[in-house]
C-alpha cells in the first residue's frame, strides 16, 4: 500500500470511529428509547427460537423491563441495555438463511437494525435473529388444513391496567409487531408502518382516560387501511354516539339523502323522505365524514367509508343542526335529540330494485340477486335464462347460500383461474408465499368451473358497490372471468380474503385481512376492490331509481 492509500484508509477508519462515538453519545428522547425497546422486543418475540416456543411470558417481560428505560440517557447506554435484554434469553439454536428467492418480499423491512452497526455484538445478535428460520409456532399457529394465520395463544395480559403507561404501550407494540411481521398487505398501507410509531408512542403515553385509550387504539387500527379491521368499543359509542336520531340516510356523492324517518320526526321537525342534507352542524358532509368516521374506522378506500354515512348524524351533543335542500329551497332544521326515540312507526324510501331472488325483467333480461339465492334457485334460474339477451347479477350484498362453483358452472365454458393470493409463512416473518390455498383440504380453491359447452353465452352484467365486501368480492372476482362479463358500479370494499383475529393484551380483538388478493394477471385487488368497467355516478335528483340496474339494462340492450 502506498502512502496515499494508507492515509485515505486511516482517515476512513478515523471517520468511522468518530461517527460511532458521536452516535453512541447522543442524547435520546423518551419516544426514541421506547421505540427501540419495542422494536427489539418484537423482533425477539417472532424470530427467537426459544421465545417463539412460548417458553417466556413475553408480555410480562415487556412490563418488567420497561422501567429500566428511565435511567437511560444516551444511545450507548441503550445499546448496552438492549444487548443485555437479548442475552437474558436462552440463545437456543439459530438457523440462518438469507435466501429471499421466490418469496413475496414487499413487506421485508429491517433497515432499523442498521442503527446498531456501531455496536457490533448487538448488531450481530439482531442480524442473526432477522435471518433465523428456526422459529416455532406459539405466537403464530400452524394449522394442518389452513394457511390463514392464527394467533391462538394470544389471550391477553391478565393483569392489564390501562391506567399504566407501560401497559398501554404493551398494547401498541403487541399490535404493531404482529402487523410488521404477519400482515401480508402491510406494503399497501398509506403511511410507512415504522414511521407511525413515533406518533403513537406519544399518543399512547399521553392517554388520561379510558376514552382516550380507546380512541387512540381505534385511530391506530385505521392505519391498516383494511375494511376488515372494524373496531368500535362501547366507550367510543357511548361518548361519540350518545344520540342516534330516529332517521336514516344514504350518501350520494357529498350529500345525505333521508332514507327513513319516524312519523314523530316528520311532524315535529318537518323532515321528509328524500330531503337532501348538505351540511351537519355547519360543516359539509365531506368534512363530517373526515372528522366523524375516518379517524375511527379502518377502510381500504374512501368509497367504503360512505357505507357508514349514518355516523355523520350520530352525535354526542343534544342539538343537531341540519342544512337541507328540498324542491329548490334551502331549509334549516335544529333537532333537540334528548327526547327523540326510535320507533317502528316510520316511512322508508322505496327502491326500484327487484326484491325477488331472480326474475325475468322487461325486455327479456334475466336478473339474479345473490343475497339469499340458493344453489337450487340458481339451477332453475339459468334454465329460464337460456334464451335471454343477457343477465344482471346483483352483488350489492353478501351472498350466504350459494357455492362459488355452482355459479361458475353456469358461466364458464371450462375451468378457469380467477384469483391469485399471497399468504404469510410462520417461520419466515415478513415474507409470503404465492398461491397457498387458505383451506388445504380444497384441492385448488382459486380455480372454478368445469367443462360445459352449454354455459350461458349472453352478456353478463355484474352490479357492485360499497357494500360488496369480503366473500362477495371473492365471488365477484370469479364472476368477472366469465367470457362476457361487464362490471358496473363503484369501488367495492377492497378486502377480498379471509379474516385473521388478534387478541390484544387488554383482551380486545382486532381483525385484519389474512391473505393478499390479485387478479390472475397480477393486478392488486386488496384496497382497490373489483375492477370496474363502467362507473355509475349516482345523482340526488334521481335517487329513487336504481341507476346501477338501469345502466346494466342499457348495456345489455346496446349492440356493442
Amino acid at each position: 500500500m502506498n502512502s496515499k492509500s494508507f492515509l485515505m484508509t486511516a482517515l476512513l477508519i478515523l471517520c468511522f470511529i468518530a461517527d460511532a462515538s458521536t452516535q453512541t453519545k447522543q442524547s435520546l428522547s423518551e419516544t426514541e428509547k421506547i421505540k427501540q425497546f419495542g422494536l427489539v422486543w418484537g423482533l425477539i418475540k417472532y424470530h427467537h427460537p426459544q421465545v417463539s416456543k412460548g417458553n417466556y411470558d413475553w408480555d410480562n417481560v415487556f412490563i418488567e423491563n420497561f422501567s429500566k428505560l428511565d435511567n437511560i440517557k444516551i444511545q450507548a447506554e441503550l445499546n448496552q441495555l438492549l444487548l443485555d435484554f437479548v442475552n437474558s434469553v436462552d440463545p437456543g439454536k439459530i438457523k440462518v438463511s438469507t435466501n429471499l428467492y421466490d418469496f413475496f418480499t414487499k413487506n421485508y423491512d429491517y433497515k432499523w437494525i442498521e442503527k446498531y452497526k456501531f455496536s457490533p455484538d448487538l448488531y450481530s445478535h439482531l442480524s442473526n435473529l432477522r435471518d433465523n428460520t428456526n422459529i416455532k409456532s406459539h405466537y403464530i399457529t400452524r394449522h394442518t388444513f389452513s394457511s390463514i394465520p392464527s394467533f391462538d395463544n394470544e389471550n391477553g395480559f391478565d393483569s392489564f391496567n390501562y391506567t399504566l403507561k407501560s401497559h398501554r404501550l404493551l398494547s401498541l407494540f403487541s399490535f404493531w409487531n404482529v402487523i410488521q411481521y404477519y400482515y401480508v398487505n402491510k406494503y399497501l398501507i398509506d403511511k410507512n408502518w415504522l414511521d407511525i410509531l413515533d406518533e403513537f408512542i406519544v399518543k399512547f403515553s399521553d392517554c388520561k382516560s379510558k376514552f382516550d385509550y380507546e380512541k387512540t387504539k381505534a385511530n391506530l387500527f385505521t392505519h391498516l387501511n383494511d375494511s376488515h379491521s372494524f373496531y368500535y368499543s362501547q366507550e367510543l359509542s357511548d361518548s361519540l354516539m350518545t344520540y342516534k336520531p330516529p332517521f336514516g340516510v344514504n350518501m350520494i356523492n357529498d350529500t345525505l339523502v333521508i332514507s327513513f324517518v319516524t312519523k314523530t320526526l316528520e311532524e315535529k321537525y318537518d323532515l321528509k323522505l328524500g330531503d337532501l342534507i348538505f351540511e351537519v352542524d355547519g360543516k359539509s358532509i365531506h368534512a363530517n365524514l373526515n372528522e366523524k368516521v375516518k379517524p375511527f374506522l379502518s377502510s381500504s378506500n374512501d368509497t367504503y367509508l360512505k357505507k357508514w354515512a349514518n355516523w355523520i348524524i350520530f352525535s354526542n351533543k343534544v342539538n343537531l343542526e341540519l342544512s337541507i335542500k328540498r324542491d329548490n329551497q334551502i331549509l334549516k332544521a335544529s333537532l333537540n335529540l334528548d327526547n327523540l326515540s326510535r320507533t317502528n312507526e316510520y316511512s322508508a324510501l322505496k327502491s326500484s330494485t327487484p326484491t325477488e331472488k331472480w326474475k325475468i325483467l322487461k325486455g327479456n333480461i334475466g336478473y339474479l340477486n345473490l343475497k339469499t339465492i340458493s344453489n337450487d334457485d340458481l339451477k332453475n334460474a339459468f334454465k329460464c335464462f337460456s334464451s335471454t339477451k343477457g343477465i344482471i347479477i346483483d352483488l350489492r350484498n353478501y351472498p350466504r347460500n350459494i357455492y362459488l362453483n355452482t355459479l361458475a358452472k353456469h358461466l364458464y365454458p371450462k375451468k378457469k383461474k380467477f384469483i391469485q393470493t399471497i399468504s404469510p409463512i410462520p417461520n419466515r416473518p415478513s415474507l409470503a408465499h404465492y398461491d397457498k390455498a387458505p383451506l388445504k383440504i380444497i384441492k385448488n380453491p382459486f380455480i372454478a368451473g368445469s367443462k360445459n359447452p352449454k354455459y350461458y353465452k349472453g352478456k353478463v352484467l355484474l352490479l357492485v358497490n360499497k357494500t360488496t365486501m369480503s366473500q362477495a368480492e371473492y365471488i365477484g372476482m370469479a364472476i368477472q372471468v366469465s367470457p362476457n362479463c361487464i362490471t358496473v358500479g363503484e369501488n367495492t370494499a377492497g378486502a377480498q380474503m379471509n379474516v385473521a383475529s388478534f387478541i390484544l393484551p387488554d383482551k380486545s380483538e382486532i381483525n385484519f385481512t389474512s391473505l393478499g388478493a390479485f387478479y390472475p394477471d397480477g393486478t392488486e385487488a386488496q384496497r382497490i376492490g373489483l375492477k370496474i368497467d363502467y362507473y355509475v355516478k349516482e345523482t340526488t335528483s334521481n335517487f329513487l331509481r336504481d341507476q346501477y340496474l338501469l345502466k346494466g339494462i342499457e348495456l345489455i340492450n346496446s349492440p356493442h
Side-chain angles (χ1 to χ4, degrees):
M1 181 184 295
N2 59 38
S3 58
K4 186 175 180 180
S5 297
F6 177 79
L7 286 171
M8 287 296 295
T9 302
L11 184 60
L12 286 171
I13 292 171
L14 287 171
C15 289
F16 181 85
I17 294 171
D19 193 10
S21 177
T22 300
Q23 189 186 85
T24 55
K25 288 180 180 178
Q26 66 186 143
S27 60
L28 291 170
S29 67
E30 181 75 4
T31 297
E32 183 61 26
K33 290 189 294 184
I34 294 169
K35 180 179 180 179
Q36 292 188 42
F37 172 69
L39 288 171
V40 172
W41 176 84
L43 181 76
I44 296 172
K45 176 178 180 177
Y46 289 115
H47 288 74
H48 197 286
Q50 295 297 327
V51 175
S52 63
K53 281 183 180 179
N55 289 346
Y56 295 81
D57 183 348
W58 205 239
D59 284 353
N60 201 49
V61 168
F62 182 98
I63 302 301
E64 289 175 346
N65 284 273
F66 187 80
S67 60
K68 296 177 183 178
L69 297 173
D70 291 341
N71 299 319
I72 299 299
K73 305 299 181 187
I74 61 174
Q75 185 66 50
E77 294 172 348
L78 182 59
N79 288 352
Q80 187 59 52
L81 183 148
L82 295 175
L83 180 60
D84 292 343
F85 181 44
V86 175
N87 286 331
S88 68
V89 180
D90 177 8
K93 186 176 181 181
I94 298 285
K95 294 181 181 178
V96 170
S97 173
T98 57
N99 175 32
L100 303 181
Y101 179 74
D102 208 30
F103 292 117
F104 184 87
T105 59
K106 288 185 178 181
N107 295 311
Y108 191 85
D109 180 13
Y110 296 85
K111 297 185 188 74
W112 60 271
I113 293 176
E114 297 303 309
K115 175 184 283 291
Y116 306 105
K117 62 186 177 182
F118 299 121
S119 181
D121 288 345
L122 178 58
Y123 182 70
S124 176
H125 278 301
L126 298 182
S127 298
N128 283 335
L129 284 173
R130 175 196 61 205
D131 300 330
N132 177 44
T133 60
N134 182 23
I135 296 171
K136 306 306 178 185
S137 57
H138 182 76
Y139 290 113
I140 175 167
T141 308
R142 296 179 178 93
H143 286 299
T144 305
F145 298 117
S146 175
S147 65
I148 301 167
S150 177
F151 308 97
D152 297 341
N153 292 314
E154 296 281 8
N155 297 312
F157 186 49
D158 287 336
S159 59
F160 186 87
N161 183 347
Y162 81 89
T163 66
L164 300 177
K165 177 181 175 180
S166 58
H167 289 211
R168 298 193 302 271
L169 287 164
L170 170 63
S171 272
L172 168 62
F173 281 104
S174 293
F175 177 72
W176 188 90
N177 279 290
V178 75
I179 297 303
Q180 173 75 353
Y181 296 119
Y182 289 109
Y183 181 46
V184 295
N185 295 305
K186 186 188 73 171
Y187 73 102
L188 294 172
I189 292 174
D190 283 341
K191 292 188 177 180
N192 181 279
W193 191 239
L194 180 61
D195 290 345
I196 74 162
L197 268 179
D198 295 275
E199 173 189 351
F200 279 95
I201 288 170
V202 173
K203 285 184 175 180
F204 274 87
S205 297
D206 290 348
C207 292
K208 299 294 189 295
S209 65
K210 184 69 180 295
F211 171 72
D212 287 345
Y213 172 62
E214 290 296 327
K215 183 173 68 171
T216 301
K217 276 169 53 184
N219 186 226
L220 171 65
F221 300 152
T222 67
H223 284 71
L224 290 189
N225 302 123
D226 184 351
S227 297
H228 271 141
S229 300
F230 181 89
Y231 180 83
Y232 210 76
S233 69
Q234 194 63 48
E235 287 81 9
L236 291 177
S237 181
D238 290 346
S239 297
L240 299 175
M241 298 183 175
T242 311
Y243 301 101
K244 298 180 174 68
F247 70 95
V249 295
N250 290 331
M251 190 166 179
I252 297 179
N253 301 324
D254 285 336
T255 303
L256 302 182
V257 178
I258 295 183
S259 56
F260 82 82
V261 61
T262 62
K263 291 184 178 179
T264 303
L265 206 60
E266 282 185 290
E267 294 168 0
K268 188 172 183 179
Y269 290 105
D270 190 33
L271 290 186
K272 298 186 182 299
L273 286 178
D275 278 350
L276 308 178
I277 302 171
F278 62 92
E279 284 183 351
V280 174
D281 291 332
K283 296 180 181 178
S284 71
I285 302 306
H286 182 73
N288 270 284
L289 193 71
N290 285 335
E291 291 178 21
K292 286 188 171 183
V293 184
K294 199 166 188 175
F296 303 104
L297 184 74
S298 185
S299 60
S300 299
N301 53 59
D302 285 345
T303 303
Y304 177 72
L305 285 177
K306 295 180 180 180
K307 179 181 176 181
W308 303 90
N310 274 304
W311 285 18
I312 293 173
I313 60 171
F314 296 165
S315 180
N316 60 354
K317 298 183 297 183
V318 70
N319 292 311
L320 187 69
E321 306 292 331
L322 305 177
S323 299
I324 296 169
K325 291 179 183 176
R326 182 196 301 162
D327 298 331
N328 297 319
Q329 290 181 301
I330 302 298
L331 308 172
K332 298 286 184 180
S334 180
L335 279 62
N336 184 315
L337 305 178
D338 203 22
N339 298 315
L340 294 176
S341 60
R342 289 176 176 253
T343 70
N344 292 325
E345 295 184 25
Y346 64 86
S347 303
L349 289 175
K350 298 292 189 293
S351 170
S352 60
T353 304
T355 56
E356 299 90 342
K357 294 178 183 178
W358 68 272
K359 68 179 296 185
I360 303 290
L361 302 174
K362 185 179 179 181
N364 196 28
I365 294 171
Y367 172 83
L368 283 175
N369 186 333
L370 297 190
K371 184 176 181 179
T372 57
I373 200 166
S374 68
N375 293 305
D376 287 339
D377 292 329
L378 279 175
K379 185 178 179 181
N380 294 329
F382 273 96
K383 280 182 181 178
C384 295
F385 291 163
S386 59
S387 60
T388 54
K389 284 195 285 186
I391 56 173
I392 293 172
I393 301 179
D394 199 337
L395 194 51
R396 296 171 293 175
N397 48 55
Y398 190 87
R400 299 184 183 278
N401 301 321
I402 59 168
Y403 297 123
L404 186 151
N405 253 314
T406 306
L407 190 58
K409 182 176 72 174
H410 297 291
L411 297 174
Y412 294 8
K414 61 182 179 180
K415 284 185 179 181
K416 285 192 174 187
K417 183 174 182 177
F418 64 91
I419 192 172
Q420 62 175 323
T421 68
I422 53 172
S423 57
I425 310 167
N427 71 333
R428 297 301 300 270
S430 302
L431 298 175
H433 281 304
Y434 289 92
D435 278 346
K436 294 290 180 179
L439 297 174
K440 297 175 184 176
I441 54 174
I442 302 174
K443 187 176 181 181
N444 194 332
F446 307 134
I447 292 177
S450 58
K451 188 173 181 180
N452 179 20
K454 297 181 179 180
Y455 76 97
Y456 184 78
K457 299 178 178 65
K459 289 182 181 179
V460 176
L461 269 293
L462 177 64
L463 306 185
V464 298
N465 70 357
K466 56 184 173 288
T467 66
T468 309
M469 178 175 174
S470 196
Q471 180 179 304
E473 291 180 287
Y474 185 76
I475 290 173
M477 292 177 77
I479 294 170
Q480 286 183 315
V481 300
S482 58
N484 303 308
C485 183
I486 300 169
T487 304
V488 171
E490 63 179 344
N491 292 96
T492 59
Q496 293 79 8
M497 301 305 296
N498 308 68
V499 172
S501 297
F502 184 80
I503 304 296
L504 272 70
D506 63 11
K507 298 187 186 294
S508 61
E509 182 177 3
I510 183 65
N511 297 330
F512 53 87
T513 306
S514 62
L515 309 176
F518 305 80
Y519 281 93
D521 65 3
T523 303
E524 287 163 346
Q526 178 71 18
R527 290 206 64 186
I528 298 167
L530 300 183
K531 291 179 179 178
I532 307 295
D533 297 306
Y534 290 89
Y535 283 90
V536 170
K537 186 75 170 176
E538 292 185 287
T539 63
T540 55
S541 62
N542 200 19
F543 57 82
L544 286 176
R545 303 189 70 194
D546 188 334
Q547 291 160 66
Y548 296 81
L549 187 64
L550 292 174
K551 186 65 177 179
I553 293 170
E554 175 194 325
L555 290 168
I556 287 176
N557 287 324
S558 169
H560 302 294

